[in-house]
Amino acid sequence: MTEPSKVIHVRNVGQEISENDLLQLFQPFGVITKLVMLRAKNQALLQMQDIAAAVNAMQFYSNVQPSIRGRSVYVQFSSHQELTTVDQNAQGRGDEPNRILLVSIHHVLYPITVEVLHQVFSPHGIVEKIVTFQKSAGFQALIQYELTQTAISARNSLQGRNIYDGCCQLDIQFSNLDELQVSYNNERPRDFTNPNLPSEPKGKSPQQGYGDAGAMYPWQGSGPRGVGFPQMGNAAAIATAFPSGLPPGISGTNDRCTIIVSNLNPDRIDEDKLFNLFSIYGNIVRIKHLRNKPDHALVQMGDGFQAELAVHFLKGAMLFGQRLEVNYSKYPNINTGPETRDYSNSNLNRFNRNAAKNYRYCCSPTKMIHVSSLPQDVTEEEIVAHLEEHGPIVNTKLFEMNGKKQALVLFDNEEQATEALVCQHATSLGGSIIRISFSQVQSI
């Protein structure tokens, strides 16, 4: 048994556990003077004001299993009798103020980008540079302020707080870097003092990483995003659409916008049909049907979140007798050219209006389609006649909502419904351009 100490060693401290969580666990037993988070080891060292307080905590937790956010943590006396500044700096948790902050974000349910971070941190002072990167510990960022005092203010105000309600919690420490080196501006790094930097490296390797507190935080560069559709332009819409968190299987951290679709039926597919299918999950920038591989196509979505929705919901879908393969492309974007169809200014892009509603309705292909923008005098017979070439229609329901005619149409299987959507969305019925999407309604 380790002899009693003011310092308590905590193990199994997951990345979702913040400093504030640990403070709340031990504050009932006395004043906490120091806290060191050993993120790389999933551990922490916590120093109470005196040995008596530490003994009280250890006696209590010897009978009650301590748990934070559903995770059991394990406590014991540390071999340290005192946490020194050297101990803290060695683990990257030094308290020496600096104008550069190292920010770890835990419990990420919504996409976090440079724009989101700038909106969070800029109220506390002038933010000069931001670099974001993904590490095994999760999503992290370096925030460089103009002044050290504003960095201190930001840390004091924001430490332990959530960017969105119930998620995206900030864990902030001072970096030991003197200056962030940013070579170009895009969704990952941004130099707000030099907006004229290029958006991607030209003939050079991307920046390899930042060393901070003895650890390397690698950053992988990415090319420019879709014109007119920045990564988090719809942050508020996403939060509104998914108030309880993103759908299962959606991480919200993807930043790749371009998708490669394979195993297409080359005799029946074209760019407009692909647009009709993929635009259910986000705005479409460009589509390129690969002529040298006629069963392949590239689809560039408006941002990484929309691309993740499309890959998640369409992987394995059946269309024209083929099971689609849907994956992220190695290309950051699709270049303009004679074989590329540009949709960036199309008024058929669904997410330019009512984005939250469109996000909420995203799902895998279903047997039921929802048809809207119908003429007021349309009949069920006319709807059936317009769609029945794609497969037997089991049932239909014509109804009115907010003074507008709409319909639910149930096919025999998902593939028939998908074919009807890709072929008949944005076609004319009785002089009206109809809109079709998948419905999550199970029966009529």
Side-chain angles (χ1 to χ4, degrees):
M1 183 75 177
T2 307
E3 68 174 290
S5 164
K6 291 190 292 185
V7 181
I8 296 173
H9 181 202
V10 188
R11 295 178 291 115
N12 200 34
V13 179
Q15 300 302 321
E16 75 278 9
I17 295 176
S18 69
E19 288 180 337
N20 280 355
D21 293 328
L22 285 170
L23 292 175
Q24 290 175 21
L25 196 66
F26 288 94
Q27 277 174 339
F29 304 99
V31 176
I32 299 166
T33 58
K34 294 177 183 176
L35 175 60
V36 178
M37 301 290 282
L38 311 178
R39 286 295 186 194
K41 299 180 179 179
N42 283 352
Q43 299 176 15
L45 293 170
L46 181 142
Q47 181 173 313
M48 307 298 291
Q49 188 174 36
D50 52 46
I51 291 180
V55 169
N56 287 338
M58 289 297 297
Q59 286 178 342
F60 179 81
Y61 288 126
S62 65
N63 298 311
V64 177
Q65 174 62 55
S67 176
I68 302 175
R69 298 179 181 271
R71 175 192 286 260
S72 295
V73 296
Y74 305 97
V75 299
Q76 65 188 56
F77 287 118
S78 170
S79 57
H80 294 267
Q81 289 297 311
E82 185 95 21
L83 287 180
T84 66
T85 303
V86 173
D87 294 326
Q88 297 178 71
N89 285 340
Q91 302 301 334
R93 298 299 305 187
D95 288 330
E96 183 178 350
N98 185 13
R99 68 184 182 131
I100 300 177
L101 301 175
L102 174 61
V103 182
S104 300
I105 302 177
H106 307 301
H107 195 43
V108 176
L109 293 185
Y110 304 123
I112 303 297
T113 61
V114 166
E115 287 80 7
V116 172
L117 291 170
H118 189 265
Q119 185 176 356
V120 170
F121 284 87
S122 60
H124 300 277
I126 297 175
V127 175
E128 292 184 334
K129 301 174 184 179
I130 298 177
V131 175
T132 65
F133 43 89
Q134 195 77 24
K135 196 172 181 283
S136 58
F139 186 92
Q140 296 181 309
L142 290 162
I143 314 286
Q144 178 175 314
Y145 279 99
E146 182 182 40
L147 302 172
T148 299
Q149 188 56 47
T150 53
I152 294 172
S153 172
R155 184 177 187 268
N156 290 341
S157 299
L158 297 173
Q159 171 61 20
R161 297 184 61 180
N162 295 331
I163 295 178
Y164 299 107
D165 287 344
C167 66
C168 302
Q169 186 180 50
L170 299 171
D171 182 10
I172 307 171
Q173 68 184 65
F174 293 112
S175 168
N176 63 7
L177 295 174
D178 296 321
E179 180 78 27
L180 294 183
Q181 302 299 321
V182 176
S183 302
Y184 43 95
N185 291 329
N186 58 39
E187 281 72 18
R188 293 273 189 156
R190 189 73 55 84
D191 186 344
F192 295 96
T193 68
N194 187 2
N196 297 320
L197 286 175
S199 60
E200 60 181 326
K202 300 185 185 303
K204 296 181 181 179
S205 298
Q207 293 163 242
Q208 293 303 308
Y210 280 97
D212 193 290
M216 184 64 71
Y217 298 91
W219 170 81
Q220 296 178 344
S222 60
R225 292 290 170 262
V227 178
F229 306 112
Q231 164 76 357
M232 270 303 291
N234 284 326
I238 294 171
T240 301
F242 307 112
S244 301
L246 298 180
I250 302 296
S251 70
T253 60
N254 173 62
D255 64 354
R256 292 164 291 181
C257 297
T258 304
I259 296 167
I260 184 163
V261 192
S262 58
N263 206 33
L264 294 164
N265 185 329
D267 296 326
R268 302 193 63 186
I269 200 68
D270 59 37
E271 291 87 350
D272 286 343
K273 290 185 175 70
L274 286 169
F275 173 89
N276 288 346
L277 180 59
F278 280 83
S279 63
I280 293 173
Y281 307 100
N283 286 326
I284 306 299
V285 181
R286 298 185 187 97
I287 295 177
K288 182 175 183 178
H289 195 180
L290 305 183
R291 305 304 175 192
N292 59 334
K293 293 182 178 180
D295 66 335
H296 285 60
L298 293 171
V299 180
Q300 184 178 339
M301 306 293 292
D303 60 45
F305 181 72
Q306 295 175 356
E308 185 176 13
L309 291 174
V311 169
H312 177 75
F313 287 121
L314 288 178
K315 188 182 287 287
M318 293 294 296
L319 179 62
F320 299 135
Q322 307 277 92
R323 188 172 297 280
L324 302 183
E325 288 292 329
V326 186
N327 296 289
Y328 300 111
S329 169
K330 63 181 179 180
Y331 299 105
N333 58 5
I334 302 174
N335 294 325
T336 57
E339 295 184 351
T340 299
R341 186 76 64 85
D342 193 302
Y343 293 93
S344 58
N345 294 317
S346 173
N347 59 9
L348 295 176
N349 269 316
R350 302 173 188 245
F351 287 72
N352 290 332
R353 297 179 302 276
N354 301 320
K357 181 181 74 173
N358 285 308
Y359 279 126
R360 192 160 51 245
Y361 291 157
C362 287
C363 63
S364 297
T366 63
K367 301 177 186 179
M368 187 91 70
I369 59 172
H370 175 256
V371 188
S372 60
S373 299
L374 290 164
Q376 287 299 107
D377 58 351
V378 72
T379 64
E380 287 192 15
E381 290 74 18
E382 289 173 319
I383 295 171
V384 169
H386 193 74
L387 300 173
E388 64 183 352
E389 66 178 280
H390 305 290
I393 293 176
V394 177
N395 203 356
T396 62
K397 181 181 181 180
L398 186 62
F399 60 97
E400 191 169 307
M401 182 175 291
N402 298 326
K404 297 179 179 179
K405 283 290 182 69
Q406 303 180 35
L408 291 172
V409 180
L410 179 62
F411 282 88
D412 195 44
N413 58 51
E414 290 85 354
E415 183 178 3
Q416 295 164 357
T418 304
E419 180 179 322
L421 185 150
V422 301
C423 293
Q424 302 299 342
H425 174 67
T427 58
S428 178
L429 174 60
S432 295
I433 303 300
I434 62 173
R435 294 169 58 87
I436 303 177
S437 58
F438 294 117
S439 174
Q440 297 180 45
V441 174
Q442 300 297 313
S443 60
I444 300 176

